[in-house]
Amino acid sequence: MSEESNPQVFSNRWAEAAGPGGLGSPLDLCRCIQHISTRPQRPTRFHRERQDTTAPGWIRLLELVEEAAADGREVFKPLAELTAEQRRQVVTLPPTIAKLTSVKHLVLYGSNLVRIPPEIGAMKSLEEFTPYTSYRLHWFPYEITRCPNLRRSTVSTRAIYGNYKTRPPFPPLPAAATTGTQGVDFENLDPGVRGAAAIRTCSVCDQCIKGVNLRQVWISLWTSGADVLPLLVNACSTTCVEALPSPAEGYVQTPHAGGLSVGQPPAGRRPR
């Protein structure tokens, strides 16, 4: 047999971050996004799951965050400390990740996450973000742009909204003109409509969102040296929406409300 015909074996550089095995899958199946660009893309919606705060996986994650904050570690791989069953129980991260101000590398390889909380913006030392193979994580909070040192990310591109390979549509957002705040409990929202179970502050100016006419928009931005990410903005005013930076070249060139009516560039070639 020739050397060229010998099969090659490639190591998994994230093996240590995947966590221990066990009975059952650590991931729920997700069919939100079609991975073939030649087919008409169907509408998308936010995942509706709420975090079960009584689940053993969530309780253990809270402990791990506190441990990491206390010892000032620079690399945080919480899922490596959870069983497969526990990893499946975690669909978001706790707001207490704001305490992780020493973490430079956040590893969420193979997670079952459907959203990241805006408190990631408080992780001021973050340099590298690795949610690779988190196939249910389709978008990120605008607050991630507050991480001034973020330079590297490893994201499963085909799983995110608006990716250049297949251009899946963004979930439609409620129009501000028809969704006033009277009677709205911002601590108990439908994540299937708003993207989160709670919204507390403006993504742009960081002011309290209570009592304002919430404006939600999508924007695609370079957030590291490698990836353009779809970011959800929760804005307290039109002024804050107008203060957003210009979107990445090759993507929708204005903040938008999502839905099938938003015209995206053709799928295929990676924008420069």
Side-chain angles (χ1 to χ4, degrees):
M1 182 179 292
S2 69
E3 185 176 312
E4 292 185 355
S5 62
N6 287 333
Q8 289 182 283
V9 178
F10 297 94
S11 63
N12 180 2
R13 63 186 178 128
W14 306 117
E16 293 183 358
L23 297 176
S25 170
L27 304 174
D28 288 306
L29 186 63
C30 178
R31 292 194 176 96
C32 289
I33 291 179
Q34 295 174 254
H35 300 306
I36 301 177
S37 60
T38 56
R39 295 178 182 172
Q41 294 288 332
R42 56 176 177 260
T44 56
R45 295 290 185 272
F46 289 113
H47 281 275
R48 291 186 173 275
E49 293 98 319
R50 293 177 181 269
Q51 179 60 56
D52 179 0
T53 56
T54 66
W58 176 256
I59 294 172
R60 179 59 181 142
L61 178 59
L62 293 177
E63 295 171 348
L64 292 170
V65 170
E66 294 300 324
E67 291 173 9
D71 64 30
R73 72 187 65 175
E74 295 185 352
V75 179
F76 187 44
K77 301 185 290 185
L79 302 183
E81 305 294 326
L82 305 182
T83 66
E85 181 181 3
Q86 289 174 335
R87 294 199 298 276
R88 191 169 186 170
Q89 295 167 352
V90 176
V91 298
T92 187
L93 300 179
T96 51
I97 61 170
K99 298 180 180 180
L100 303 179
T101 54
S102 296
V103 170
K104 294 182 178 180
H105 188 186
L106 177 59
V107 184
L108 301 170
Y109 179 91
S111 79
N112 200 38
L113 299 177
V114 299
R115 64 187 70 93
I116 298 285
E119 286 79 7
I120 193 173
M123 297 177 65
K124 301 300 184 182
S125 298
L126 190 64
E127 297 177 357
E128 186 170 1
F129 180 45
T130 307
Y132 193 52
T133 68
S134 296
Y135 295 122
R136 303 207 308 152
L137 191 58
H138 309 308
W139 60 277
F140 302 87
Y142 181 78
E143 285 82 352
I144 199 172
T145 62
R146 297 179 186 173
C147 299
N149 300 313
L150 184 60
R151 296 292 181 269
R152 295 181 298 278
S153 61
T154 309
V155 176
S156 295
T157 305
R158 288 183 181 271
I160 59 176
Y161 299 134
N163 75 74
Y164 71 90
K165 295 179 180 179
T166 58
R167 300 293 186 184
F170 294 74
L173 298 170
T178 59
T179 56
T181 59
Q182 185 175 4
V184 175
D185 183 358
F186 282 99
E187 292 289 337
N188 186 27
L189 299 171
D190 182 351
V193 176
R194 293 291 189 179
I199 299 175
R200 299 180 178 92
T201 58
C202 176
S203 300
V204 182
C205 70
D206 206 30
Q207 296 298 307
C208 180
I209 211 80
K210 186 177 181 180
V212 305
N213 198 5
L214 177 65
R215 292 158 173 80
Q216 289 187 295
V217 296
W218 292 107
I219 190 170
S220 297
L221 295 176
W222 287 101
T223 54
S224 67
D227 296 302
V228 173
L229 299 182
L231 306 178
L232 179 60
V233 180
N234 298 313
C236 67
S237 66
T238 301
T239 300
C240 282
V241 173
E242 293 174 346
L244 293 170
S246 299
E249 184 178 351
Y251 293 80
V252 181
Q253 287 301 289
T254 58
H256 60 90
L260 293 177
S261 63
V262 175
Q264 297 192 62
R269 179 178 297 181
R270 181 170 186 166
R272 294 184 177 181

